[in-house]
Amino acid sequence: MAEQMSDDDERQQSPPSDLDFTSNKARTCIVTGSVSGHSEFQSLYPDQVLENVLENVLHFLTSRRDRNSASLVCKSWYRVEALTRSELFIGNCYAVSPARATARFTRVRALHLKGRPRFADFNLMPPDWGAHFNPWVLAFAKACPWLEKVYLKRMSVTDDDLATLAESFLGFKELVLVCCDGFGTSGLAIFVSKCRQLKVLDLIESEVSDDETDWISCFPEGESHLESLIFDCVECPINFEALERLVARSPSLKKLRLNRYVSIGQLYRLMVQAPQLTHLGTGSFSPSEVAGQGDQEPDYVTAFAACKSLVCLSGFREIIPDYLPAIYPICASLTSLNFSYANITAEQLKPIISNCHKLQVFWVLDSICDEGLQAVAATCKELRELRVFPVDAREDSDGPVSEVGFQAISEGCRKLQSILYFCQRMTNAAVIAMSRNCPDLVVFRLCIMGRHRPDHVTGEPMDDGFGAIVMNCKKLTRLAVSGLLTDKAFDYIGRYGKLVRTLSVAFAGDSDMALKYVLEGCPQLQKLEIRDSPFGDAALCSGLHHYYNMRFLWMSSCRLTHQGCQQIARAMPRLVVEVIRSADEEEVYDRVQTLYMYRSLEGPRNDAPKFVTIL
Amino acid sequence: MGSTSTKIKLRTSDQKVFEVEKAVAVQSQTIKYIYENGCPDSVIHVHSVSGDILSKILDYCKKHVNSAAGKEDISPEELYEWDANFVKVDQNTLFDLILAANCLKIESLLDLTCQTVANMIKGKRPEEIRTTFNIKNDYTIEAEEAVRRENKWAFDMLGGVGTMVIEELADDTMSKCVTNTKSRVCVIAANQIVMMRSISKLANKKSIDVYKQPQNPTTPRIKESVKQRNVGTGFIELFFHFKCKM
């Protein structure tokens, strides 16, 4: 049994070097007066012993699932779990208030927040819908001064918010903004000048307004702690000399992604300063206009060869393909290559890709055609993720990639886990082939541009192809469908897509049955986004049993009416049901343009703009 | 290990005396501090640690000191395995070790023992954790559901092996859910009456259960029925029909 504590008579006999410290509970424990914090305990029952050291123990629990279980054991475990949680993930910023989050978790070091739904990226929602970072930064500034890292996706961040961030958290280290907006270069300037411990500043696909402030010069002088600086989305010129000095005094810099205002000559100078880089975004990858004709070109090949740790390459924002051979030396070690801004042909791709044996992630434009994809399939046997984007995203354009390249990939890249493929035509046979060849698929997003396009060889709907995907890919959690699809496709999804968490649907289905199949059949469904499909109120009602288990449902340009949405709102009081109209539309018609609904602990939000009605 | 090496004497709570090499004893920051700031010859009383526990702890410290000093030919992997075997003890001894490591301030041992306990928690559902450590559940049903809801809705902490909650149903409602056969199901009707009845027999899986309502004479009678339908690949569809009579 647990050790007995000493009695008082023991203490009387003890020589001076005894470890002795009396608690007011007449028990003795050894304490050196430092920060152990567990100096007292009153009884020796196992569960109370455990409680004393619970903080130490729970530090070793990292998965959200385990933390969830721990918080449900009993009330004291709930308290200690909340104290020891260092990373807080909030998938919908409106599902919980900043006050509630900071009341429960007071020692958070890292905050992940997601705001707008993804379909907002496609201009399906007017701007200023919400997802403001401001109330969050203010609440955390008061309650969690140890916050070091903030990761935001699809949120609105103002210059003031950036200033608050830098001023309120002394040890702030990492800021990652993905698909965010609302701030500009002046906000960045304040932020970087005040964050003296900054290690990571990643601006990814965010909109940064040009306030004509030279923010790069605002990094403090002296050695910087920077490990990652990503600003390839910033659409304004930067002070290159200041950047060069910054890179020179950042010995820990591993990730650097430049914007298109950095020329290839400038890139060279930076690479020479930082051969230790692991991730590089090349900027424009073309010379600046001022480069004279007779100027000596720097030795780009040697510069790339010197970067022996480079594994991830992107950029090429305004590529002149003649310069591509410069990257030959590092192809063999690349695990990630992003050519999604490089309009290059198959011929230009082949010499590069034929050396990329270790490639796991590849993003590319369809300018490489089926032939280019065949070259990828021939070499990149380790490929896990492929994204093929369209150069020309219109409905009726010629499609340079088709089922031919798609099938080639499925045959060559058997370890594929994630695919996003834009094309103008596809066949069921190719999709079925991929379902068989690539059983590890977790993410399958096929975008046949052009509405209601059938299998272009057989003229059949694409039902069987997507059916095969859900049937054969047993690990599938994310699915995006396209092409001509009848209710049958959704029947397959409902029947076999038991692990599907995210589903994107556009211009598909014949009737309410399609949506019913999915809502009744997919128990893991968390995020459902639908546009321009013939689903009405009856279909919406079929999901009543499941909506509290989902993060959100988005339906735009479907057949919903106000009454139908009211019914849902009444039946499910904890669901926030937002009806969104386009900014200039009057609230006359009964037809609902956009429905966005999500579960929330807080009830309707108080920052909704005029074009949003919360039922 | 010659006669010239310094030894420190330690007396435990049960009056056992251990004579230990200084290098081993000062693995404990506490003992180190006392030794350096007190009389080097006197006995250090380790009040809250028993002889058995101290003996084990000294084995640990000795092993680690010797391996670090190169006195013992042991690879990092072998030491790791030795540590793993060291903590294969009964729960009471493990907690005693944690307390002692905490008091004696032996950081690596504290980490090792706490990690071991954490491993006993990982992957378990709350009731399993309670059973393992003999902890009383002091949550009310409503409070527990509130935490569950907050965890899932706000902080994306997914429930243990699929927790399905059907809430806020009006009287006389037909509702259904599809759940995998390992799920737990909790049903709360609109007038705050908690559904009761174990459906484990129907579901044929012992891990599906429904909470029992505490006895309350004013409680309206509830008639309910639960049916199930197998929809394949380990999933069942449950139909709930509620009828509340006031």
Side-chain angles (χ1 to χ4, degrees):
Chain A
M1 198 37 207
E3 66 278 6
Q4 297 298 313
M5 305 313 292
S6 73
D7 297 322
D8 278 346
D9 55 346
E10 178 84 357
R11 275 202 302 127
Q12 281 156 15
Q13 294 167 2
S14 40
S17 61
D18 253 10
L19 301 164
D20 214 58
F21 187 88
T22 316
S23 79
N24 52 11
K25 294 186 169 65
R27 294 294 192 189
T28 307
C29 180
I30 304 164
V31 154
T32 55
S34 64
V35 286
S36 84
H38 299 296
S39 53
E40 302 177 338
F41 53 97
Q42 12 183 161
S43 92
L44 309 163
Y45 299 114
D47 56 332
Q48 287 196 278
V49 166
L50 180 55
E51 202 175 308
N52 286 328
V53 293
L54 200 53
E55 243 186 87
N56 282 336
V57 169
L58 288 190
H59 274 297
F60 289 99
L61 277 190
T62 44
S63 89
R64 291 210 284 269
R65 187 162 292 218
D66 288 332
R67 289 201 154 266
N68 177 52
S69 301
S71 70
L72 286 164
V73 167
C74 64
K75 289 182 189 168
S76 58
W77 277 56
Y78 173 95
R79 267 195 316 272
V80 180
E81 190 282 314
L83 279 176
T84 55
R85 173 177 294 240
S86 61
E87 196 158 328
L88 193 59
F89 178 85
I90 294 172
N92 177 359
C93 65
Y94 286 121
V96 62
S97 69
R100 192 189 289 250
T102 52
R104 179 170 171 185
F105 300 109
T106 52
R107 296 198 198 162
V108 169
R109 304 247 160 184
L111 173 66
H112 291 241
L113 260 180
K114 293 193 181 179
R116 288 183 286 275
R118 199 178 68 95
F119 269 14
D121 290 351
F122 307 113
N123 293 322
L124 292 176
M125 186 148 84
D128 304 322
W129 169 82
H132 301 289
F133 182 50
N134 183 260
W136 291 90
V137 71
L138 294 178
F140 273 80
K142 255 191 268 172
C144 299
W146 298 281
L147 194 65
E148 293 179 347
K149 175 179 172 183
V150 167
Y151 173 105
L152 303 178
K153 189 165 184 182
R154 295 201 184 93
M155 301 226 22
S156 289
V157 184
T158 63
D159 289 344
D160 285 339
D161 295 334
L162 291 174
T164 310
L165 208 54
E167 285 157 12
S168 312
F169 306 104
L170 295 176
F172 198 79
K173 296 198 172 72
E174 296 186 24
L175 180 64
V176 178
L177 300 178
V178 180
C179 300
C180 295
D181 62 11
F183 63 101
T185 48
S186 45
L188 286 176
I190 305 175
F191 179 77
V192 303
S193 67
K194 301 204 174 180
C195 269
R196 310 217 137 230
Q197 307 294 322
L198 195 65
K199 284 193 188 169
V200 172
L201 177 60
D202 290 352
L203 306 170
I204 299 170
E205 283 181 56
S206 295
E207 220 175 285
V208 183
S209 64
D210 184 359
D211 309 324
E212 289 173 25
T213 313
D214 177 7
W215 59 283
I216 296 277
S217 302
C218 295
F219 278 91
E221 287 301 322
E223 190 171 290
S224 113
H225 304 273
L226 267 185
E227 294 173 9
S228 174
L229 179 62
I230 295 180
F231 63 95
D232 47 1
C233 62
V234 177
E235 287 292 312
C236 37
I238 48 128
N239 179 338
F240 179 74
E241 279 70 33
L243 177 63
E244 199 176 6
R245 285 195 301 274
L246 177 62
V247 170
R249 67 177 190 277
S250 305
S252 311
L253 194 67
K254 291 282 197 286
K255 302 187 188 182
L256 179 64
R257 293 197 344 213
L258 309 164
N259 70 6
R260 63 184 180 87
Y261 289 88
V262 178
S263 71
I264 193 169
Q266 291 171 328
L267 170 68
Y268 174 84
R269 283 160 62 180
L270 293 174
M271 289 179 73
V272 163
Q273 295 276 13
Q276 78 280 6
L277 288 176
T278 58
H279 293 57
L280 176 65
T282 64
S284 67
F285 213 69
S286 53
S288 64
E289 284 117 31
V290 294
Q293 292 289 44
D295 282 357
Q296 177 97 28
E297 286 268 44
D299 187 355
Y300 297 115
V301 177
T302 308
F304 272 95
C307 293
K308 299 202 185 302
S309 314
L310 210 52
V311 291
C312 175
L313 194 59
S314 61
F316 309 102
R317 297 260 164 166
E318 289 168 356
I319 188 175
I320 304 265
D322 303 340
Y323 289 99
L324 261 183
I327 73 171
Y328 286 164
I330 47 135
C331 286
S333 39
L334 280 184
T335 56
S336 171
L337 179 57
N338 182 348
F339 271 153
S340 62
Y341 288 92
N343 196 332
I344 55 174
T345 64
E347 285 314 307
Q348 289 159 341
L349 176 70
K350 279 186 197 172
I352 308 278
I353 209 74
S354 58
N355 289 319
C356 295
H357 301 278
K358 288 197 188 165
L359 208 58
Q360 294 188 17
V361 176
F362 186 49
W363 293 19
V364 72
L365 286 175
D366 63 2
S367 56
I368 62 166
C369 303
D370 287 328
E371 201 187 326
L373 289 173
Q374 285 162 331
V376 173
T379 317
C380 304
K381 300 300 175 190
E382 298 297 316
L383 201 65
R384 303 284 196 272
E385 176 180 325
L386 174 68
R387 296 196 192 190
V388 180
F389 295 98
V391 170
D392 182 358
R394 286 174 307 163
E395 241 186 292
D396 307 312
S397 59
D398 263 336
V401 296
S402 69
E403 75 278 4
V404 173
F406 191 81
Q407 182 135 0
I409 291 290
S410 79
E411 284 162 9
C413 308
R414 299 292 174 119
K415 299 188 187 177
L416 204 60
Q417 291 172 0
S418 168
I419 183 163
L420 169 62
Y421 195 86
F422 285 86
C423 57
Q424 293 285 356
R425 56 195 189 284
M426 185 50 62
T427 63
N428 280 308
V431 179
I432 294 172
M434 181 164 283
S435 78
R436 295 216 180 100
N437 293 332
C438 304
D440 291 339
L441 277 176
V442 173
V443 173
F444 185 81
R445 299 158 71 189
L446 176 60
C447 298
I448 307 168
M449 297 181 282
R451 291 165 281 182
H452 313 299
R453 289 253 172 98
D455 177 326
H456 81 96
V457 166
T458 66
E460 298 273 302
M462 292 298 298
D463 298 338
D464 289 339
F466 285 101
I469 291 289
V470 286
M471 259 189 263
N472 299 332
C473 301
K474 310 260 195 277
K475 304 180 192 174
L476 196 74
T477 57
R478 182 169 180 182
L479 179 65
V481 300
S482 60
L484 177 66
L485 292 171
T486 71
D487 289 348
K488 191 161 139 213
F490 295 92
D491 185 16
Y492 286 138
I493 296 173
R495 240 191 281 176
Y496 300 103
K498 295 303 179 187
L499 295 183
V500 170
R501 294 207 292 261
T502 307
L503 180 63
S504 305
V505 178
F507 302 99
D510 298 326
S511 73
D512 285 345
M513 283 311 295
L515 186 52
K516 273 193 194 169
Y517 287 137
V518 169
L519 288 171
E520 292 174 359
C522 300
Q524 300 294 327
L525 196 61
Q526 299 277 303
K527 301 183 257 187
L528 181 54
E529 38 188 35
I530 304 173
R531 62 166 292 188
D532 295 279
S533 300
F535 308 139
D537 299 336
L540 197 60
C541 286
S542 65
L544 278 173
H545 65 285
H546 190 61
Y547 292 138
Y548 282 150
N549 293 325
M550 288 175 64
R551 200 187 286 173
F552 70 80
L553 169 68
W554 166 291
M555 285 178 69
S556 59
S557 304
C558 296
R559 298 208 184 139
L560 301 173
T561 67
H562 272 279
Q563 284 133 303
C565 298
Q566 276 286 10
Q567 222 179 324
I568 304 287
R570 261 187 243 120
M572 309 195 77
R574 289 194 212 259
L575 217 54
V576 175
V577 180
E578 294 193 13
V579 171
I580 306 168
R581 15 174 224 292
S582 27
D584 49 0
E585 192 190 321
E586 291 288 310
E587 204 189 334
V588 252
Y589 308 106
D590 190 43
R591 186 63 68 91
V592 160
Q593 168 66 25
T594 300
L595 167 72
Y596 179 56
M597 63 190 208
Y598 49 91
R599 65 196 174 186
S600 173
L601 298 170
E602 313 297 346
R605 59 188 175 111
N606 53 12
D607 62 356
K610 282 202 297 263
F611 53 83
V612 170
T613 313
I614 299 181
L615 299 177
Chain B
M1 241 176 105
S3 52
T4 51
S5 65
T6 326
K7 296 243 202 274
I8 298 180
K9 289 206 191 102
L10 305 170
R11 179 181 289 153
T12 64
S13 59
D14 49 354
Q15 303 308 315
K16 299 208 176 91
V17 176
F18 292 80
E19 203 169 327
V20 183
E21 266 187 50
K22 178 187 160 207
V24 171
V26 298
Q27 293 287 294
S28 155
Q29 293 300 305
T30 309
I31 293 177
K32 180 169 193 270
Y33 177 82
I34 299 291
Y35 179 77
E36 285 169 357
N37 291 289
C39 294
D41 290 332
S42 45
V43 177
I44 296 181
H45 283 235
V46 188
H47 286 293
S48 49
V49 185
S50 72
D52 288 341
I53 296 296
L54 187 63
S55 170
K56 275 195 77 78
I57 289 181
L58 293 174
D59 278 346
Y60 174 90
C61 294
K62 191 167 177 187
K63 191 79 175 178
H64 280 251
V65 164
N66 286 349
S67 98
K71 281 193 196 161
E72 212 178 299
D73 183 22
I74 176 170
S75 70
E77 293 81 22
E78 285 168 334
L79 187 62
Y80 182 83
E81 248 197 75
W82 189 90
D83 280 353
N85 283 324
F86 180 80
V87 286
K88 281 188 184 153
V89 293
D90 64 86
Q91 215 179 93
N92 288 335
T93 308
L94 187 58
F95 290 155
D96 289 346
L97 285 171
I98 292 180
L99 282 171
N102 191 25
C103 283
L104 292 173
K105 289 180 119 30
I106 307 171
E107 198 177 314
S108 66
L109 180 59
L110 186 61
D111 282 351
L112 172 65
T113 45
C114 285
Q115 173 79 75
T116 306
V117 177
N119 291 344
M120 291 159 71
I121 297 172
K122 282 183 191 173
K124 286 198 168 80
R125 298 207 315 251
E127 57 275 16
E128 289 167 342
I129 299 174
R130 289 184 207 122
T131 309
T132 305
F133 298 108
N134 194 26
I135 299 173
K136 186 174 181 296
N137 179 7
D138 57 357
Y139 276 121
T140 62
I141 293 179
E142 291 80 18
E144 188 171 336
E145 274 320 304
V147 172
R148 222 180 267 279
R149 189 188 310 134
E150 187 175 288
N151 286 351
K152 194 165 175 207
W153 292 20
F155 308 114
D156 257 49
M157 292 151 84
L158 303 172
V161 201
T163 306
M164 179 83 55
V165 175
I166 305 175
E167 289 198 34
E168 311 289 2
L169 296 163
D171 299 348
D172 199 6
T173 308
M174 180 71 162
S175 175
K176 70 180 154 161
C177 73
V178 178
T179 176
N180 71 31
T181 48
K182 293 200 189 114
S183 289
R184 297 158 48 81
V185 177
C186 171
V187 180
I188 302 175
N191 53 1
Q192 298 308 307
I193 295 173
V194 177
M195 248 333 259
M196 42 198 252
R197 160 95 90 94
S198 166
I199 53 174
S200 55
K201 281 189 210 145
L202 289 174
N204 210 31
K205 289 281 169 186
K206 60 180 188 295
S207 51
I208 294 189
D209 50 37
V210 181
Y211 297 102
K212 281 205 181 319
Q213 180 192 7
Q215 291 303 311
N216 184 338
T218 62
T219 306
R221 251 176 256 163
I222 302 168
K223 261 201 183 143
E224 85 294 330
S225 60
V226 183
K227 285 189 225 167
Q228 67 147 4
R229 180 167 82 96
N230 199 311
V231 292
T233 58
F235 283 83
I236 59 171
E237 200 170 47
L238 297 169
F239 297 84
F240 301 87
H241 188 206
F242 306 109
K243 232 174 167 53
C244 289
K245 290 191 173 188
M246 290 303 232

